[in-house]
Every structure is written in structure tokens, then in C-alpha cells.
Amino acid sequence: MADHPERRVAHAAHDIGGFIRAQREAAQVSLRQLAALAGVSNPYLSQIERGLRNPSAEVLTQIAKALRVSSEVLYVRAGYLEERPHSPVRDALLGDTSLTERQKQVLLDIYESFRRENGADEKQGEWDSDVPSPTPEDTPPRQESRS
């Protein structure tokens, strides 16, 4: 039996709603508090959590910020983005609460562009052997501080 797009959307809405509820409860934040922090109404957030509404990317960003989770995680759960392979660097960046969502995205974009440039996807994370190791000539001389 073929999976119909309407069912996938309904499943994604339910999945994202359950995930948001679980994150909210883990953070010990009430529905009312999260709605206020995210700038949405209580009834709308309740409908999202129950899988009756599929939130826009903008609303997901607001909810992610309020819950202090990565927007990307919510986008994947909602079906807006495909899940990327796990990487310790990606996981560390996404988990860093001292960075804004925009800063995380810029760093991830740079990281991914370096990986593509170095062919890391084909090598499955191996270092590029074309990159020479630094030699003493490459290292600038250390300057002594004068006191």
C-alpha cells in the first residue's frame, strides 16, 4: 500500500508535536510559559503538540529558541529538512547553548563546505592525504615579549 502525502504530513505534525511536548516537559516548562516565550497562543501551541497543526518554519524557530534546542532538530522532525549523518563536530555545535541559532548555522555551513571541498563524504570522514603536515619552516618564529 502506497504512503499518501496527506498521511506523511499528518504523521510529521504528530511527530513534531510529540517531540515539542517531550522537550517542553523535560525542560519543566508549562504550555503557557512556552507559548509566551515562543510568541504563539496557548491554543495554537496545544494544537501543535497534539498533532492537529503543522507549524511553519518560523514558528518552529521561535519554539526552538524558547526551548533552547536546535532549529535544525525541529525542522528534521517536522519534515522540512532531511536528517544529516551524525558527526561529533555537528553534534557539538548544535549542542552549544552559548551560540545563537544563526551562529550555529554559519559554522555548520562552513564545516560542510570544507568537508565537501576535501571529499570527506566519499572518504567517510578520513583526513585528506593531499594536505601536507606543517614543517618548522611553516611555523612563524615566536616573538619574545619585552618586560
Side-chain angles (χ1 to χ4, degrees):
M1 180 156 108
D3 191 20
H4 297 290
E6 300 84 23
R7 284 195 203 135
R8 278 198 304 267
V9 170
H11 178 69
H14 184 69
D15 186 37
I16 187 63
F19 183 75
I20 290 170
R21 175 179 282 157
Q23 293 297 308
R24 177 178 61 76
E25 290 172 350
Q28 298 179 340
V29 175
S30 73
L31 184 106
R32 189 176 304 245
Q33 290 170 320
L34 180 57
L37 289 169
V40 298
S41 70
N42 294 346
Y44 182 62
L45 182 58
S46 176
Q47 290 172 350
I48 291 170
E49 285 191 356
R50 291 181 288 141
L52 301 176
R53 295 278 195 125
N54 201 6
S56 68
E58 183 179 329
V59 169
L60 284 177
T61 300
Q62 293 168 229
I63 292 171
K65 190 180 291 185
L67 287 172
R68 293 185 170 264
V69 299
S70 166
S71 297
E72 184 175 357
V73 170
L74 294 185
Y75 294 159
V76 169
R77 287 285 184 149
Y80 291 129
L81 285 178
E82 286 186 32
E83 190 167 6
R84 297 182 189 174
H86 288 285
S87 151
V89 173
R90 286 180 47 74
D91 295 345
L93 279 173
L94 292 173
D96 190 334
T97 57
S98 66
L99 298 175
T100 66
E101 288 301 315
R102 177 74 181 127
Q103 290 168 332
K104 290 177 188 181
Q105 192 56 56
V106 168
L107 288 171
L108 286 172
D109 289 346
I110 293 168
Y111 173 67
E112 292 298 330
S113 73
F114 285 157
R115 286 179 52 82
R116 280 190 304 277
E117 184 178 303
N118 294 338
D121 291 336
E122 293 84 29
K123 296 179 183 188
Q124 297 180 345
E126 292 178 22
W127 290 101
D128 191 353
S129 60
D130 295 339
V131 177
S133 299
T135 62
E137 296 85 39
D138 295 333
T139 308
R142 207 173 142 206
Q143 294 187 357
E144 307 255 340
S145 63
R146 296 182 184 169
S147 311

